[in-house]
Every structure is written in C-alpha cells, then in structure tokens.
Amino acid sequence: MSDKNETKIGRRGRAAVVVLGDIGRSPRMQYHALSLACQAGLEVDIVAYGGSEPHAALLQHQSIHLHRMNPPSVPTLVAVKWASCLRHSAFVVDWHNFGYTLLSLTLGRGSSFVTIYRCQNISRIEKHYGRMASGAFCVTKAMQHELDQNWGIKATVLYDQPPEFFRPASIEEKHELFCRISESLSQPFGIQDCISYGMSGTGESDPNSTLFTIHTGTNIIMKQNRPAIIVSSTSWTPDEDFSILLEAALMYDRRVAGLLNEDDVSDEEILWNEICNGKQFLYPRLLFIITGKGPEKDKYEQKIRKLKLKRVAFRTMWLTAEDYPLLLGSADLGVCLHTSSSGLDLPMKVVDMFGCGLPVCAVSYSCIEELVEINRTGLLFSSSSELADQLMMLFKGFPHECDALSSLREGVLAKASSAKWVTGWDENAKPLLSEVISQNFS
C-alpha cells in the first residue's frame, strides 16, 4: 500500500490495486484507484485483467498506471501477501465476493471443482491469507457478519457509492446522447417494432429530432408520446435470470392490450402508425435498453426475437464508460436482476442508477434492502408477475401523471445528494488505510 518510508496517507507514497477481474467492468476498484490518487495523494499501480476500457478519468490521471494481467484469486492473494512483505507494505483486502461463488457462476453450483474449492485446501488458502491482511473492507453488513463469524476477519463496511460523474443528465445531454445512439435504436430484433416503425434505419439521424426529444429554435423539449426508457445493466451471467424480464414485458404488453379492448389479431402497423402521428395512450410504449457483455447474451437475444410484442421493444448495446452514465441519467426506470452469487453483496448497477437519479425495480434477495429502500428509492420483486404489476402501476399516465414513479425519483434524488463515493471513502476507507500504514511502519 505504501513505500517503506511513508507512514501515513497524505505524504507521497505508492499503492497497488490488484483486481481479480476486467478493470473496465470493476467500477468499485476504479473508484478505489481514483481515491488513492486524488484523495490520498498516492501513485497508484493497477494490476488487472484486460478487456473493457475503464473510465477516461482513470486512464488520463497522471498518477495512475495500469498493468494488464490475468490473476486468478487464490494465487493472487498469496502473491500479494508475499509481495507486501518483500516491499514492507501494508496489505488490505476489499471483500465483495468469495472465490468459490465466482467459480460457481462459470462452472455451476453443482460442479465438483466448486465443491472441492469451497471445502478443501484451496478455500482454506483464501481464508488463511485473508486473515493475514493488515485490514479489510467489505460491501455489506451481511458480508461483515459472515467474515467475522466464519472467517475470523474484522472488516469495515464501505458501501458502494456513485462517483461524481454519475448524475442526472441535462436535456441537452439527453438529446445529444439520443442522436449518437439513434442507429442502435433503429435496429429491431425483427423486421420492425413499435420503436423502429417509421425510422429510416440508415444511421442518418435528424439532429433536431429523436425518438424522445425535439430541438425547436433555441429550446429542446421531451416529446409527449415518447416511449418510456427502462435500462437493465447486465453481465449476462447465470446469477441474473433474464427470463423474468422477458416474461414481465410480455405480460405488460398483453395487459395493456386487454385494458384497451384490443384483440390478438389487431393490426400492429395501425397502432404504430397512430403512435407515429402523435396519439397518446394511458400506458406508454416501453423501450428496454439492455447494456453489457457476457456469455448468455446470444441465448437471450434469440428469445427476444421470438416474442410477439406491440408496445414493448428491446435493444442490446455496449456503451462507453462516458455514455453509460448519460443513459442512466436519461432513463425513466432501472431494472436489476442481480441475485448475488454469495447472497452477501450488492449490485453496483443499482448504485450507479441511484447516482443518476434513476429509481429501480430489483430482484429481492437477502441483503438487498441495505441498498434499496422500498417505496422510497425503488421496489422489489420475486417473480415476473410482480414485476409486470410494478410496470403497470409505475407507468400509468406516463409521462406527466405517473405519481408513483415521480415519488420514487424524488426519493432517489434526495438520497443521491448526500451519498457519494468521495464522501464514503473519506469517512470509512481513508482512516483505516492511515491506521494500517501507521501500524505497519511503527
């Protein structure tokens, strides 16, 4: 964590952040690196998987140096511990999952190798070297309890919080983003859908008009009959059951048709033509934008292609680290399908959504209420039917007469005004790091 002669944070030293994953998809570790460089004044070396690009703020910082490698968890803990001894440095572990739970995502919970890892010597190595750390952080009170009771490790809870660049988007930023992603929005999973109907699909967009905004003179305004944007960020892994979202979308589509007395043979193009001509309905079109990369993406894209939907559309895309916060800040609702491989961590995607003023509907599991305050910042669901109920309730009267959605947004904005990564790191991480470094060199 620090050079031999540096005994406290605040004097120029050096820290190494070793990431057991793709640095571009490890936001918490990116924020640690930025805090160590900006708030603690250290030179920072990041050792991590390559793959996705991290945020530009990290790449452009002169005191942060990125070294791309491929370190698996158990040998890495051993190597980092011995390196810290040789360098006379403090050794701090940030626990936000366990090795066997991450393996189970790839190999399956029933894998014999996962069982061996958890119950035999490999897991014991993880536990043994974890106990040898100078200090520890963890992401939830539930994980703090697990580490204390079953691992003999005392950890400080450092909740994930959004950095400063996760915030609500301005109307100008929304318009510019929608212009940039217009080509992706025009590409349906079938021949056409309620979003692509009437769009050219050539990638040439009108700079004065998007699906959601219109630039008139010096003003940009939101269209009254625009689709509602629902964002779900996913790594497309088995700990997120994406079929729940697909089923809920289908239920919403069918329920709205039933309420408006439309039968199954009603002409879709007549409906879409009415929408293009400005007609508004009590329930809006829903556009689900799914961001991320992962192993199950192709499987679910095939399922989306088979859905027969009138008022719901899906788009999958990968956004830059700079555009992703803008999308969250431009959306109307976030959906989180994360259930946690260990049951002890919290979804960073919800933290990011809250930073952008975006309320969420999230899958319910053991410790999720440490993050989502029910009926204040979001809602929890356990089935596709529950999620469909929530979509019907939240979007009735969209965009101006959906009081429940507006109330959740107000709750998120109130929370986001005080919950920032910089503040949490100063209050919880910096004191622990100063203490362990002082003890290491006293």
Side-chain angles (χ1 to χ4, degrees), residues 226-231 328 330-334 358-359 395 398 405 409:
R226 66 184 181 273
I229 302 175
I230 302 176
V231 176
L328 297 186
S330 303
D332 300 293
L333 182 71
L358 187 63
F395 286 106
F398 181 86
L405 183 62
R409 181 175 288 275

Side-chain angles (χ1 to χ4, degrees), residues 278-336:
K279 184 174 180 179
Q280 283 187 261
F281 295 86
L282 183 62
Y283 293 93
R285 290 171 290 167
L286 301 184
L287 171 60
F288 289 90
I289 299 179
I290 316 301
T291 71
K293 300 176 182 177
E296 298 205 330
K297 182 179 179 182
D298 289 343
K299 179 180 82 172
Y300 281 109
E301 285 185 337
Q302 290 297 326
K303 290 186 176 183
I304 291 171
R305 287 186 177 91
K306 296 176 182 178
L307 295 176
K308 188 72 170 175
L309 301 167
K310 292 183 179 180
R311 285 182 169 81
V312 178
F314 284 86
R315 299 292 186 270
T316 59
M317 60 182 71
W318 175 257
L319 295 164
T320 66
E322 290 70 42
D323 275 350
Y324 176 61
L326 290 176
L327 177 64
L328 297 186
S330 303
D332 300 293
L333 182 71
V335 171
C336 176

Side-chain angles (χ1 to χ4, degrees), residues 43 71 101 115 124 144 222 243 249 282 295 324 379-380 430 432:
E43 289 288 325
T101 65
T115 302
R124 290 174 187 169
Q144 182 187 49
M222 301 295 292
S243 62
L282 183 62
Y324 176 61
L379 302 173
L380 301 181
K430 195 171 183 178
L432 174 63

Side-chain angles (χ1 to χ4, degrees), residues 25 57 82 127 135 140 143 176 227 275 312 321-322 329 343 365 400 420 422 438:
R25 298 167 71 181
W82 283 103
K127 185 180 296 187
T140 61
M143 181 167 282
E176 291 170 3
I275 292 171
V312 178
E322 290 70 42
Y365 66 93
H400 297 305
K420 291 296 181 185
V422 169
S438 297

